Amino acid sequence: MRKGKVFIDANIIIYADSFGKTDVFEWINNLYEEIYIHKIVLEEVKLSSARKKIEGFITEKRWLLFDPEDEKALTDNQYDLYEAYLDDVHESFRQLDAKKIPDFKL
């Protein structure tokens, strides 16, 4: 088991839900000590079967819902760091998207 906290992303959830040969969610639950899911990621999960599993894990306290807007989740300093990190992530995705645009030369 990996000690500490881990955030699960939507791609892993979608893969785990679609993999029919074994229960990937159980692997995840056995692999990580503390599993968090960001509220934005949960909102991205549209597959009803995956969403039901995740909501069940949250209800059972096997997974923890991370809501940065919840005053109990982060101190003011931690929230400032979170916002800076989130800005960096958004900028990285913007740069990645820009690389996908073909460079047409006339």
Side-chain angles (χ1 to χ4, degrees), residues 48-64:
S48 64
S49 57
R51 188 161 180 115
K52 278 184 180 180
K53 283 184 183 182
I54 295 165
E55 288 171 345
F57 293 151
I58 292 168
T59 300
E60 296 165 4
K61 306 268 190 254
R62 293 175 76 185
W63 289 22
L64 304 168

Side-chain angles (χ1 to χ4, degrees), residues 52-97:
K52 278 184 180 180
K53 283 184 183 182
I54 295 165
E55 288 171 345
F57 293 151
I58 292 168
T59 300
E60 296 165 4
K61 306 268 190 254
R62 293 175 76 185
W63 289 22
L64 304 168
L65 182 63
F66 177 72
D67 180 356
E69 301 301 321
D70 181 351
E71 292 179 3
K72 295 176 273 180
L74 300 171
T75 66
D76 289 342
N77 289 339
Q78 289 171 327
Y79 188 81
D80 291 343
L81 289 171
Y82 166 80
E83 281 189 317
Y85 174 73
L86 193 59
D87 288 344
D88 289 346
V89 169
H90 286 150
E91 177 60 19
S92 295
F93 275 116
R94 188 197 64 71
Q95 290 175 10
L96 183 62
D97 288 343

Side-chain angles (χ1 to χ4, degrees):
M1 175 178 285
R2 180 186 177 277
K3 299 292 182 187
K5 300 171 180 159
V6 67
F7 277 85
I8 298 296
D9 74 5
N11 292 324
I12 295 295
I13 292 166
I14 292 166
Y15 176 77
D17 189 60
S18 67
F19 195 75
K21 294 181 182 177
T22 191
D23 187 354
V24 177
F25 285 108
E26 195 59 35
W27 286 356
I28 293 168
N29 290 332
N30 288 328
L31 185 60
Y32 298 109
E33 181 179 34
E34 278 186 276
I35 302 169
Y36 284 81
I37 182 167
H38 196 290
K39 75 173 195 170
I40 293 172
V41 172
L42 180 59
E43 291 167 5
E44 288 176 3
V45 177
K46 304 296 184 199
L47 299 169
S48 64
S49 57
R51 188 161 180 115
K52 278 184 180 180
K53 283 184 183 182
I54 295 165
E55 288 171 345
F57 293 151
I58 292 168
T59 300
E60 296 165 4
K61 306 268 190 254
R62 293 175 76 185
W63 289 22
L64 304 168
L65 182 63
F66 177 72
D67 180 356
E69 301 301 321
D70 181 351
E71 292 179 3
K72 295 176 273 180
L74 300 171
T75 66
D76 289 342
N77 289 339
Q78 289 171 327
Y79 188 81
D80 291 343
L81 289 171
Y82 166 80
E83 281 189 317
Y85 174 73
L86 193 59
D87 288 344
D88 289 346
V89 169
H90 286 150
E91 177 60 19
S92 295
F93 275 116
R94 188 197 64 71
Q95 290 175 10
L96 183 62
D97 288 343
K99 287 181 182 179
K100 294 177 184 177
I101 298 171
D103 185 21
F104 292 107
K105 298 192 188 227
L106 299 175

